[in-house]
Amino acid sequence: MTAMVDVAFLLLTFFIMSAKFKASDKVLVDTPTSISTSELKDKNLFIITVDKSGMVVVGVSQETRKGMLEKMIETYSLPVSEEGMTFFANQPSFGVPLAEFGNWLGTKDLDKIKEYPYHGIPVNTERGQVNELKEWINAARRTNYELRFAIKGDRDVAFEKMDKVIATLQEVNINRFNLITGLEADPNAPQKKAAEAESAEAPAEK
């Protein structure tokens, strides 16, 4: 028994030490519901999250994050430290304008990087202005040609905010994308009525 207990604790310790917990998202979104049961795989996925206020946050699959950031560093000479690069590569999403990257990922203070607030990625669709969401999409596609795109929008976000995101995707010739929704019951699915169930279970009267 003693040997079995030792083995059990060793296995428990191994799984605790080797487990990788998913980082929690900084932006909470109450998505609309649908009856679709399709499931999006995390691999090769680019998710654009739009919260109630219209703030845009980008989430990219792990195999794309580092290469995407490296291309943005080359294009815009972003001041990113080694600590910042490592942190970025392990984050499921981010929402910081390019002008703030020096304050966010440029420092070596990991606590400051972790606590930096998200102000959203600017989505400027006016001609002659830099659309930072478009730039991130292009950098991601140059890193991974197999990327699939999805939008996760809050049910109460203004239409104008979502329209800018969709227009950005169309501008880079992405006309097929997924919408992430919550799951609701299918109204057309066959269901038993409660009364029928009760009468079937009740004993026959004599």
Side-chain angles (χ1 to χ4, degrees):
M1 286 296 294
T2 302
M4 291 180 64
V5 171
D6 289 342
V7 170
F9 275 104
L10 285 172
L11 288 173
L12 180 61
T13 303
F14 170 78
F15 286 119
I16 291 175
M17 297 297 292
S18 62
K20 292 183 179 180
F21 298 96
K22 183 178 179 181
S24 58
D25 292 331
K26 285 189 176 183
V27 178
L28 298 178
V29 174
D30 182 16
T31 59
T33 58
S34 73
I35 60 174
S36 173
T37 57
S38 300
E39 183 179 354
L40 283 174
K41 303 298 182 181
D42 291 337
K43 186 177 182 180
N44 298 328
L45 188 61
F46 189 108
I47 300 178
I48 304 169
T49 301
V50 187
D51 75 356
K52 185 177 180 179
S53 67
M55 182 174 69
V56 174
V57 173
V58 164
V60 191
S61 54
Q62 190 170 15
E63 61 270 13
T64 308
R65 294 173 200 160
K66 187 175 181 180
M68 177 184 68
L69 179 57
E70 288 174 346
K71 286 179 171 50
M72 291 295 285
I73 292 174
E74 294 174 2
T75 303
Y76 290 97
S77 300
L78 299 178
V80 177
S81 64
E82 291 184 7
E83 291 80 1
M85 176 69 79
T86 302
F87 175 81
F88 186 91
N90 290 299
Q91 291 306 295
S93 62
F94 68 98
V96 179
L98 294 177
E100 299 180 17
F101 262 63
N103 295 329
W104 181 37
L105 298 182
T107 178
K108 295 183 178 181
D109 187 345
L110 192 57
D111 290 333
K112 182 178 179 181
I113 294 175
K114 290 179 179 178
E115 298 301 325
Y116 197 87
Y118 284 3
H119 297 139
I121 296 175
V123 185
N124 196 332
T125 56
E126 297 179 6
R127 180 172 296 181
Q129 301 294 324
V130 176
N131 185 339
E132 294 188 16
L133 176 60
K134 176 183 174 181
E135 295 301 303
W136 283 109
I137 291 173
N138 285 332
R141 294 178 85 185
R142 282 186 287 143
T143 303
N144 185 351
Y145 295 103
E146 298 180 355
L147 277 179
R148 295 167 295 117
F149 291 83
I151 300 176
K152 182 180 181 181
D154 192 279
R155 64 169 68 229
D156 295 323
V157 66
F159 171 77
E160 292 77 10
K161 302 292 185 180
M162 291 294 292
D163 187 51
K164 285 186 176 182
V165 171
I166 295 173
T168 300
L169 290 174
Q170 292 176 329
E171 190 175 347
V172 291
N173 298 318
I174 299 174
N175 296 308
R176 296 186 63 183
F177 51 85
N178 295 92
L179 296 176
I180 298 177
T181 59
L183 183 63
E184 68 180 32
D186 186 351
N188 298 319
Q191 296 179 352
K192 291 184 179 181
K193 295 181 180 179
E196 294 176 350
E198 289 175 1
S199 63
E201 294 175 358
E205 295 183 1
K206 295 183 179 179

